Amino acid sequence: MRKVRVRLGLNSYDILIGPGLLAQTGQQLRGLGPSTKLVIITDPSVNKLYGTLLSQSLAASGYQVATLQVPEGEEQKSLENAGRLYSELSNFYAERTTPILALGGGVIGDLAGFVAATYLRGVPLIQLPTTLLAQVDSSIGGKVAVDHGGLKNKIGAFYQPKLVIADTTTLKTLPPQQISDGLAEVIKYAVIRDRGLFEYLEHNLDRIRRRDERALNTVVYRSARIKAEVVAKDERDWGLRQILNYGHTIGHAIESTAHFRVEHGQAVAIGMLTAARISNRLGLFDRNELTRLKEIIHRAGLATEMPGLDGEELIQFMKHDKKIHLGRIRFVLPKRIGEVFITDEVEPSLVKQVLAGVE
């Protein structure tokens, strides 16, 4: 097992990474609080795979457990589902000391985290991510949210978990597309902060996609370490943390325009490559670096070209981005692999040209 510490003063917590950790959850939770009750929020597929294992671990440590299920899909990240979960928590007589365990991917982590942040003004949250995307990104850093009005993560809060347990054994049950979706976030970390990680991906991508245990543990650990470092320096997303938005301004707009029929990782991959092409058009990002980025995205099983979406509609969705400032869209653009910068000086006309493939 490897450990990453997210250093946030009184809100500090550990990320535990390694195989077989779900079976140890009960032991890991001892000492985190006085409650003898726990609530698991998950979806039916994940519950079928890991619900019994987790419940047995918790029961062996003396916890009374309730399991609440939410159907799968991004559309489930809604205020309506949050309301239903509030009612079920109340029926279980959940108290302010009753932890919520988010068992699943990014949708479950975001929704359960939002519920934990708002039920009784906040109950303890434990993240148990079971997808590559959730283990390297969405379970870390305390951003919890639901979608609203067709806009991704429009209503949310900053609410740090008490613990993140990333059992990398769960990654072996993922379909290939979910491995690819998670790799989009790993590539993001490499481009924004770690050229060495990018080179590791170039040499080991086939091993990762074959679900090699050592390679998976390496990318989860290195990605978590990068995010923990950035979050520790800017918990509330006013400065440095915005580099984590690389590929997401355009990516979220793609998801919204496509009514969430494009997977998050695929949308982020297109967003990263589009941002890199914009930077190249501005004379800031070398063509050879751009080629390397496109190649690694393609090898990861991710999209490299824009789906048939309207450029003007994408721009309109970007104007709802959470990072917008004084009406100007902020972009994270690469200077080189391993270094990015934030700017609001990209003209919408250039964005539309790049999205349309105009050279």
Side-chain angles (χ1 to χ4, degrees):
M1 180 180 72
R2 306 178 83 172
K3 182 186 295 186
V4 174
R5 184 72 170 169
V6 184
R7 300 187 184 280
L8 294 168
L10 294 176
N11 291 326
S12 297
Y13 56 94
D14 290 328
I15 306 165
L16 308 182
I17 301 162
L21 293 183
L22 276 182
Q24 303 173 30
T25 302
Q27 295 172 274
Q28 296 293 345
L29 295 188
R30 289 173 181 164
L32 283 184
S35 180
T36 58
K37 290 182 174 183
L38 294 168
V39 177
I40 300 168
I41 297 179
T42 189
D43 67 50
S45 295
V46 174
N47 191 48
K48 184 177 180 180
L49 287 168
Y50 306 115
T52 300
L53 174 67
L54 178 59
S55 296
Q56 287 175 345
S57 172
L58 297 170
S61 292
Y63 291 107
Q64 179 187 352
V65 182
T67 299
L68 310 181
Q69 296 190 64
V70 177
E72 298 171 54
E74 179 71 28
E75 67 276 10
Q76 304 302 328
K77 248 172 64 175
S78 65
L79 288 170
E80 290 76 15
N81 266 325
R84 179 177 65 80
L85 291 169
Y86 296 144
S87 297
E88 295 190 38
L89 287 166
S90 184
N91 292 338
F92 184 59
Y93 297 96
E95 303 170 356
R96 293 188 73 179
T97 58
T98 304
I100 287 177
L101 280 61
L103 176 67
V107 169
I108 289 294
D110 280 356
L111 175 61
F114 179 80
V115 169
T118 49
Y119 182 74
L120 298 178
R121 297 192 180 95
V123 300
L125 171 65
I126 313 297
Q127 290 279 9
L128 304 174
T130 59
T131 65
L132 181 58
L133 191 151
Q135 289 190 5
V136 301
D137 190 70
S138 60
S139 68
I140 306 165
K143 283 187 176 181
V144 296
V146 294
D147 303 336
H148 186 66
L151 297 168
K152 180 112 171 174
N153 298 334
K154 191 66 174 178
I155 301 174
F158 289 96
Y159 193 70
Q160 301 296 341
K162 299 295 183 183
L163 181 67
V164 178
I165 300 177
D167 184 342
T168 52
T169 304
T170 63
L171 304 181
K172 295 188 176 182
T173 64
L174 296 178
Q177 188 53 62
Q178 287 197 30
I179 294 291
S180 293
D181 285 344
L183 280 169
E185 297 289 353
V186 178
I187 294 167
K188 175 193 77 176
Y189 288 119
V191 174
I192 67 173
R193 203 78 173 171
D194 191 344
R195 191 177 183 91
L197 176 57
F198 193 92
E199 292 167 354
Y200 179 87
L201 291 173
E202 288 181 314
H203 291 101
N204 293 278
L205 196 59
D206 293 341
R207 290 175 59 211
I208 297 166
R209 296 191 70 187
R210 290 197 306 268
R211 302 174 187 81
D212 176 86
E213 186 172 287
R214 180 174 292 185
L216 285 170
N217 274 275
T218 295
V219 295
V220 172
Y221 173 73
R222 291 181 69 164
S223 298
R225 194 172 61 182
I226 292 168
K227 185 158 190 180
E229 173 194 341
V230 172
V231 169
K233 293 179 179 178
D234 179 22
E235 181 182 3
R236 294 284 172 161
D237 209 9
W238 292 109
L240 176 66
R241 184 168 177 167
Q242 293 186 22
I243 67 173
L244 299 174
N245 205 44
Y246 174 56
H248 286 62
T249 298
I250 296 168
H252 284 169
I254 291 170
E255 289 180 271
S256 295
T257 305
H259 305 290
F260 300 109
R261 289 191 295 269
V262 176
E263 294 295 330
H264 178 72
Q266 299 289 341
V268 168
I270 297 167
M272 289 191 293
L273 199 51
T274 302
R277 286 168 171 155
I278 290 170
S279 191
N280 175 258
R281 289 280 292 272
L282 293 173
L284 301 171
F285 191 56
D286 184 77
R287 172 63 66 173
N288 291 331
E289 300 266 275
L290 177 59
T291 299
R292 289 176 69 188
L293 176 60
K294 182 177 180 179
E295 177 64 19
I296 202 72
I297 287 173
H298 174 72
R299 287 180 56 206
L302 294 160
T304 59
E305 300 298 333
M306 176 64 60
L309 300 173
D310 180 69
E312 185 58 44
E313 189 176 1
L314 285 167
I315 295 291
Q316 291 306 312
F317 273 110
M318 285 181 219
K319 290 180 179 178
H320 289 281
D321 188 83
K322 295 176 291 299
K323 308 297 188 304
I324 202 160
H325 180 65
L326 299 176
R328 295 187 67 87
I329 302 169
R330 286 184 174 178
F331 287 93
V332 181
L333 302 180
K335 288 184 179 178
R336 58 190 291 275
I337 292 170
E339 182 182 0
V340 294
F341 68 103
I342 301 164
T343 181
D344 63 1
E345 297 183 358
V346 178
E347 293 300 325
S349 58
L350 175 57
V351 178
K352 283 191 279 190
Q353 287 176 22
V354 173
L355 288 171
V358 177
E359 294 295 337

